[in-house]
Amino acid sequence: MTAAIPDPHPNRPMLLRHLAAENAHDMEGTLATVHPDCMFRDFATGQVFHGLAGAERHYRQWWEAFGNVVERMPDGAAWWIDDETYVAQPQYVGRHVGPFLGIAPTGQSFVLPFAVFVRFRGGLLAEERFYYDLATLLRQLGQEAPDPAMLAQARDWAAGQPAGDQRVRIV
């Protein structure tokens, strides 16, 4: 028998604080909600970001490329699946205002549904795993497919490895 998950969930205030800071593009406030040993995994690009420096690279990539915000999908759902794990179906909403994966800004607006698994440790966000369709995003930006070399560079950059011209790569 599984124990009931408390309602409201004890990690909910931290999650709401995190989302508010993230949507305000407040890096200091966002990082204050993240565990020092965190990991962010973007399955669409293959990028993995470790620690607070990695979390900062992750957020800067999205904020500088898209000026995006995260919002609940009209038909999206969210669940606490155990004491430390939250799963949601939100969407990114933004406009392509900076380089992303070697793609120059197009000015195109987009709506990108995604799924995210968030794990908490010690009351802070310790892991986020993002699942979305990169082709859906790229089509909205007027692109056919990602450049494999740019994806490889993006993965190296996410891991903190130097690789080529950062303006072309990600940010």
Side-chain angles (χ1 to χ4, degrees), residues 147-171:
D147 177 337
M150 286 294 116
L151 283 174
Q153 287 183 352
R155 288 189 291 272
D156 289 344
W157 176 78
Q161 300 170 12
D165 181 354
Q166 290 196 31
R167 290 175 299 111
V168 172
R169 270 186 303 136
I170 306 295
V171 293

Side-chain angles (χ1 to χ4, degrees), residues 64-75:
E64 292 177 7
F66 301 116
N68 67 293
V69 297
V70 177
E71 63 180 30
R72 187 174 186 113
M73 285 178 43
D75 60 348

Side-chain angles (χ1 to χ4, degrees), residues 36-118:
D37 296 324
C38 64
M39 179 179 67
F40 289 76
R41 185 180 301 265
D42 182 330
F43 282 88
T45 64
Q47 294 174 298
V48 180
F49 301 86
H50 292 279
L52 292 177
E56 183 171 350
R57 281 193 302 279
H58 164 75
Y59 288 111
R60 286 206 188 283
Q61 171 178 267
W62 284 90
W63 296 348
E64 292 177 7
F66 301 116
N68 67 293
V69 297
V70 177
E71 63 180 30
R72 187 174 186 113
M73 285 178 43
D75 60 348
W79 309 271
W80 290 99
I81 59 173
D82 63 33
D83 288 343
E84 300 295 324
T85 307
Y86 176 77
V87 179
Q89 298 172 293
Q91 62 188 10
Y92 284 123
V93 177
R95 193 166 50 89
H96 189 198
V97 296
F100 180 71
L101 300 178
I103 303 166
T106 64
Q108 295 294 319
S109 295
F110 70 94
V111 176
L112 181 65
F114 68 100
V116 62
F117 290 73
V118 180

